[in-house]
């Protein structure tokens, strides 16, 4: 819903047997939103376009700023002309999206995790979180959060 107050989702599978088993499970345990959850989803849809426009505009500005910053070695954002998929992004999308990925330069032999911890400790606007679905400006470190159980080679 975009307001940090609902949970919803969908299961899409390409396997007919699995689809039938999931359908049977949905019928037996109930897989539809309550009236209040439906209200929250509809409320969020009413403001989705303006929220996405602002998020994408802000992401573009953040990406442009970070691309010029001496403490950043890489910025991955398809809205930047330097991105390898920029032309594809321009053909398929209205903007570069709302997610910017960066790699920071290490100093004095620091490993990536030390650099990220120092970076996170100095933030004033962004909230350290794994979610992408709130109204807050969020930042995460996938290697130590959502992908923490994977090896460095698996994450590469």
């Amino acid at each position: 819903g975009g307001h940090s107050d609902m949970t919803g989702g969908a299961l899409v599978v390409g396997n007919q047997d699995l689809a039938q088993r999931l359908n049977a499970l949905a019928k037996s345990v109930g897989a539809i939103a309550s009236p209040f959850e439906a209200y929250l989803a509809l409320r969020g849809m009413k403001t989705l376009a303006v929220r996405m426009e602002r998020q994408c505009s802000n992401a573009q500005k953040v990406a442009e700023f970070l691309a010029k910053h001496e403490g950043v070695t890489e910025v991955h954002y398809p809205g930047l002309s330097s991105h390898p998929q920029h032309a594809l992004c321009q053909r398929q999308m209205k903007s570069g999206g709302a997610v910017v990925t960066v790699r920071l330069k290490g100093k004095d032999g620091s490993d990536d995790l030390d650099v990220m911890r120092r970076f996170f400790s100095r933030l004033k606007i962004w909230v350290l979180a794994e979610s992408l679905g709130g109204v807050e400006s969020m930042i995460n470190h996938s290697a130590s959060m959502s992908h923490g159980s994977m090896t460095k080679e698996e994450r590469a």
Side-chain angles (χ1 to χ4, degrees):
H3 299 274
S4 302
D5 58 6
M6 71 160 289
T7 302
L11 292 172
V12 179
V13 298
N15 179 297
Q16 187 64 28
D17 181 55
L18 179 58
Q20 289 175 346
R21 292 188 336 217
L22 289 171
N23 190 39
L25 184 61
K27 288 179 180 177
S28 65
V29 298
I32 59 170
S34 71
F36 186 65
E37 289 166 328
Y39 158 77
L40 293 175
L42 287 171
R43 181 195 63 184
M45 292 301 293
K46 291 177 182 177
T47 59
L48 179 62
V50 72
R51 286 184 288 118
M52 287 305 302
E53 286 173 13
R54 182 60 57 92
Q55 289 171 18
C56 295
S57 172
N58 288 342
Q60 180 75 37
K61 291 173 186 166
V62 168
E64 289 170 0
F65 172 81
L66 291 173
K68 296 174 188 170
H69 196 284
E70 65 181 30
V72 175
T73 61
E74 296 174 32
V75 177
H76 300 277
Y77 183 71
L80 294 177
S81 59
S82 61
H83 191 277
Q85 298 296 320
H86 180 69
L88 178 64
C89 171
Q90 287 187 310
R91 285 194 312 272
Q92 293 183 344
M93 302 163 58
K94 293 180 180 179
S95 74
V99 177
V100 179
T101 303
V102 300
R103 183 173 304 277
L104 302 179
K105 285 183 186 174
K107 293 182 181 178
D108 306 323
S110 301
D111 68 16
D112 289 345
L113 198 51
D114 289 336
V115 173
M116 294 308 295
R117 284 186 179 132
R118 277 197 310 277
F119 178 73
F120 291 148
S121 72
R122 293 180 175 135
L123 294 174
K124 300 207 181 338
I125 297 173
W126 285 270
V127 175
L128 180 63
E130 289 190 54
S131 172
L132 298 175
V135 295
E136 303 84 3
S137 294
M138 293 182 230
I139 189 167
N140 76 50
H141 183 252
S142 299
S144 63
M145 297 170 78
S146 60
H147 295 69
S149 64
M150 298 172 70
T151 66
K152 192 171 187 173
E153 292 76 26
E154 290 173 321
R155 292 190 309 265

